[in-house]
């Protein structure tokens, strides 16, 4: 479906941009909980409305964590350009590469259950892989240090076609490794495809069921699911009528429509079939709301999802390769912009997603941004408001605070 989007002003807020001025995040500051939302004298709404108008974003959701609270969560704009569907706190967006973080948790849950070894070669769990892949370890898959090519880069890969995991592996199984395992880092969706298959083989459950039973259901994430769940669990009602008689349709958990393209081109914004997300499997197939992601991220900070602090540290710190090279990335997370800061981000078919965390013994701050427009550089947008200076101020405030 090809759409010509009317030119209109969108009041869409990415409250990540509030972060550089929010002293509310430091316990030492009496302003924790302050409601001021301005940056350099301009209201955040105005700054972001201007940005989103420029970049032609239909809808967006944000949530900000100041653990244990989620004090700010909202939806802005539209989740569909053809239906009367607005972004809300329960809108589901394909979170794309953020799915990697859920997969990494699943791997360490199985490790803690003694069903896999993270230093084991993958052929111990998946014996039928190409010989060149067989000695790659589970940990190297998490590090994106395997050298296995990304099936998305195969000339035979078609975004609009539905694939089974085995078909995706076949796209790259005959290709040589891009580098010797453990010597470099290069993101590849194939790494997390293999991790998803390891989850299935080690647990005896489908990847869908393991994530649902061990992360989604225990945390009560009602707006987190896979595209295959929409028929049974989402509350689509077009046009909206059932909310007047059925409570489940009040502020419903409904999926956003993803878009790619550009209003200025001949085709305009083009809607993407939501089932396209299934091809990303354990790398990018999960759908969630910004508020659910924030809830999950709070659980991630302690022992609710991964019991051992030592195991959490393996996931949430920079990669050390076999040659002792330090790479500021792990399991999709990126590090290095400032001590204690980590982010995971990227695009999928029709969507862009961003999650950042600033961890400190005294405070945990997390920001989630989800939008139904492919290819957005949300990091660049945040950088325009000098987040590094904000994090520097934050660390200085913690250092100056009485202990």
């Amino acid at each position: 479906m090809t759409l010509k989007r009317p030119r209109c002003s969108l009041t869409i807020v990415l409250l990540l941009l509030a972060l550089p001025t929010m002293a509310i995040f430091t316990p030492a500051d009496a302003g924790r909980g302050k409601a001021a939302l301005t940056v350099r004298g301009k209201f955040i709404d105005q700054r972001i409305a201007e940005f989103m108008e420029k970049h032609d974003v239909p809808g967006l959701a944000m949530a900000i964590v100041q653990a244990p609270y989620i004090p700010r969560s909202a939806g802005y704009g539209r989740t569909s350009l053809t239906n009367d569907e607005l972004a809300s706190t329960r809108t589901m967006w394909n979170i794309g590469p953020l799915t990697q973080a859920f997969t990494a948790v699943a791997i360490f849950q199985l490790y803690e259950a003694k069903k896999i070894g993270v230093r084991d070669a993958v052929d111990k769990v998946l014996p039928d892989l190409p010989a060149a892949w067989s000695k790659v370890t589970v940990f190297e898959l998490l590090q994106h240090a395997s050298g296995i090519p990304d099936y998305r880069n195969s000339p035979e890969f078609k975004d609009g076609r539905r694939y089974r995991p085995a078909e995706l592996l076949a796209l790259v199984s005959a290709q040589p490794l891009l580098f010797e395992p453990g010597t470099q880092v290069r993101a590849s969706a194939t790494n997390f495809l293999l991790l998803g298959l390891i989850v299935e083989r080690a647990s005896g459950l489908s990847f869908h069921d393991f994530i649902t039973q061990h992360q989604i259901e225990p945390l009560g994430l009602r707006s987190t699911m896979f595209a295959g769940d929409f028929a049974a669990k989402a509350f689509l009602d077009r046009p909206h009528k059932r909310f007047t008689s059925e409570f489940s349709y009040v502020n419903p958990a409904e999926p956003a429509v993803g878009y790619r393209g550009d209003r200025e081109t001949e085709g305009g914004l083009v809607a993407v079939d939501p089932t396209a997300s299934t091809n990303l499997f354990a790398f990018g197939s999960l759908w969630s709301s910004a508020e659910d992601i924030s809830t999950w991220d709070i659980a991630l900070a302690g022992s609710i999802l991964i019991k051992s602090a030592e195991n959490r540290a393996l996931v949430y710190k920079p990669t050390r390769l076999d040659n002792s090279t330090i790479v500021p990335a792990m399991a999709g997370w990126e590090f290095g912009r400032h001590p204690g800061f980590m982010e995971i981000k990227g695009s999928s078919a029709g969507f862009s997603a961003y999650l950042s965390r600033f961890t400190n013994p005294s405070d945990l701050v997390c920001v989630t941004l989800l939008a139904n427009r492919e290819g957005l550089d949300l990091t660049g947008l945040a950088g325009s408001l000098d987040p590094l200076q904000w994090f520097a101020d934050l660390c200085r405030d913690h250092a100056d605070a009485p202990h």
Side-chain angles (χ1 to χ4, degrees), residues 69-114:
Y69 303 104
I70 307 174
R72 303 189 188 279
S73 177
Y76 301 88
R78 302 178 64 87
T79 61
S80 170
L81 297 179
T82 56
N83 301 301
D84 181 25
E85 295 170 4
L86 306 182
S88 79
T89 57
R90 298 197 64 199
T91 298
M92 295 180 290
W93 321 71
N94 177 223
I95 64 171
L98 273 60
T99 305
Q100 295 173 91
F102 285 76
T103 302
V105 167
I107 288 293
F108 274 89
Q109 288 175 331
L110 289 167
Y111 175 59
E112 292 184 336
K114 302 186 184 306

Side-chain angles (χ1 to χ4, degrees), residues 55-66:
H55 293 277
D56 203 18
V57 180
L60 184 141
M62 70 84 200
I64 294 178
V65 167
Q66 294 167 252

Side-chain angles (χ1 to χ4, degrees), residues 347-359:
S347 285
S348 55
F351 294 89
S352 297
Y354 182 94
L355 170 62
S356 67
R357 312 175 81 221
F358 182 79
T359 56

Side-chain angles (χ1 to χ4, degrees), residues 181-259:
T183 63
Q184 299 181 38
V185 168
R186 186 179 302 182
S188 171
T190 312
N191 290 326
F192 274 72
L193 169 60
L194 291 169
L195 288 170
L197 294 175
I198 288 171
V199 168
E200 294 188 332
R201 186 69 63 89
S203 70
L205 299 172
S206 67
F207 177 76
H208 168 286
D209 287 353
F210 190 85
I211 296 295
T212 300
Q213 293 178 24
H214 293 269
Q215 295 183 60
I216 296 174
E217 290 178 346
L219 299 181
L221 306 180
R222 296 184 299 161
S223 295
T224 303
M225 61 188 72
F226 296 86
D229 296 321
F230 290 165
K233 295 182 179 180
F235 292 90
L236 287 171
D237 183 28
R238 296 171 174 164
H240 290 126
K241 293 180 179 179
R242 297 174 67 175
F243 72 92
T244 60
S245 58
E246 298 178 57
F247 183 72
S248 296
Y249 289 87
V250 174
N251 195 25
E254 59 186 11
V257 177
Y259 294 94

Side-chain angles (χ1 to χ4, degrees), residues 40-369:
R40 303 186 187 107
K42 183 182 286 190
F43 283 104
I44 296 300
D45 291 34
Q46 182 181 354
R47 285 184 177 273
I48 304 310
E50 291 170 357
F51 177 88
M52 301 310 291
E53 175 70 10
K54 176 181 177 181
H55 293 277
D56 203 18
V57 180
L60 184 141
M62 70 84 200
I64 294 178
V65 167
Q66 294 167 252
Y69 303 104
I70 307 174
R72 303 189 188 279
S73 177
Y76 301 88
R78 302 178 64 87
T79 61
S80 170
L81 297 179
T82 56
N83 301 301
D84 181 25
E85 295 170 4
L86 306 182
S88 79
T89 57
R90 298 197 64 199
T91 298
M92 295 180 290
W93 321 71
N94 177 223
I95 64 171
L98 273 60
T99 305
Q100 295 173 91
F102 285 76
T103 302
V105 167
I107 288 293
F108 274 89
Q109 288 175 331
L110 289 167
Y111 175 59
E112 292 184 336
K114 302 186 184 306
K115 294 189 176 182
I116 59 171
V118 293
R119 304 291 181 178
D120 288 346
V122 294
D123 67 352
K124 185 172 181 178
V125 186
L126 302 174
D128 300 323
L129 297 177
W133 303 5
S134 62
K135 299 309 176 185
V136 170
T137 67
V138 174
F139 201 67
E140 287 168 341
L141 294 177
L142 286 167
Q143 293 175 309
H144 283 294
S146 70
I148 297 173
D150 190 332
Y151 63 79
R152 296 174 299 172
N153 295 332
S154 168
E156 287 79 34
F157 178 71
K158 307 300 180 186
D159 198 33
R161 178 189 159 187
R162 291 284 301 276
Y163 294 87
R164 295 188 300 272
E167 293 173 322
L168 293 171
L169 289 180
L171 294 177
V172 293
S173 60
Q175 296 182 20
L177 293 177
L178 300 177
F179 50 83
E180 184 69 19
T183 63
Q184 299 181 38
V185 168
R186 186 179 302 182
S188 171
T190 312
N191 290 326
F192 274 72
L193 169 60
L194 291 169
L195 288 170
L197 294 175
I198 288 171
V199 168
E200 294 188 332
R201 186 69 63 89
S203 70
L205 299 172
S206 67
F207 177 76
H208 168 286
D209 287 353
F210 190 85
I211 296 295
T212 300
Q213 293 178 24
H214 293 269
Q215 295 183 60
I216 296 174
E217 290 178 346
L219 299 181
L221 306 180
R222 296 184 299 161
S223 295
T224 303
M225 61 188 72
F226 296 86
D229 296 321
F230 290 165
K233 295 182 179 180
F235 292 90
L236 287 171
D237 183 28
R238 296 171 174 164
H240 290 126
K241 293 180 179 179
R242 297 174 67 175
F243 72 92
T244 60
S245 58
E246 298 178 57
F247 183 72
S248 296
Y249 289 87
V250 174
N251 195 25
E254 59 186 11
V257 177
Y259 294 94
R260 58 164 52 122
D262 194 307
R263 176 179 58 200
E264 303 303 325
T265 64
E266 182 178 350
L269 287 177
V270 179
V272 178
D273 187 332
T275 61
S277 63
T278 60
N279 290 334
L280 295 178
F281 192 47
F283 178 82
S285 63
L286 198 58
W287 291 64
S288 190
S289 67
E291 191 165 301
D292 272 10
I293 292 293
S294 296
T295 300
W296 175 88
D297 206 40
I298 294 172
L300 185 65
S303 60
I304 296 173
L305 292 175
I306 300 177
K307 303 299 183 185
S308 164
E310 180 181 2
N311 291 335
R312 292 195 298 275
L314 288 174
V315 181
Y316 304 114
K317 68 179 182 181
T319 288
R320 179 182 290 274
L321 300 178
D322 293 343
N323 58 13
S324 297
T325 300
I326 302 296
V327 179
M330 178 64 178
W333 291 97
E334 298 177 19
F335 310 85
R337 296 178 64 198
H338 196 283
F341 178 76
M342 54 195 291
E343 60 187 352
I344 186 169
K345 60 196 175 185
S347 285
S348 55
F351 294 89
S352 297
Y354 182 94
L355 170 62
S356 67
R357 312 175 81 221
F358 182 79
T359 56
N360 185 282
S362 302
D363 211 349
L364 169 68
V365 179
C366 310
V367 179
T368 304
L369 310 169

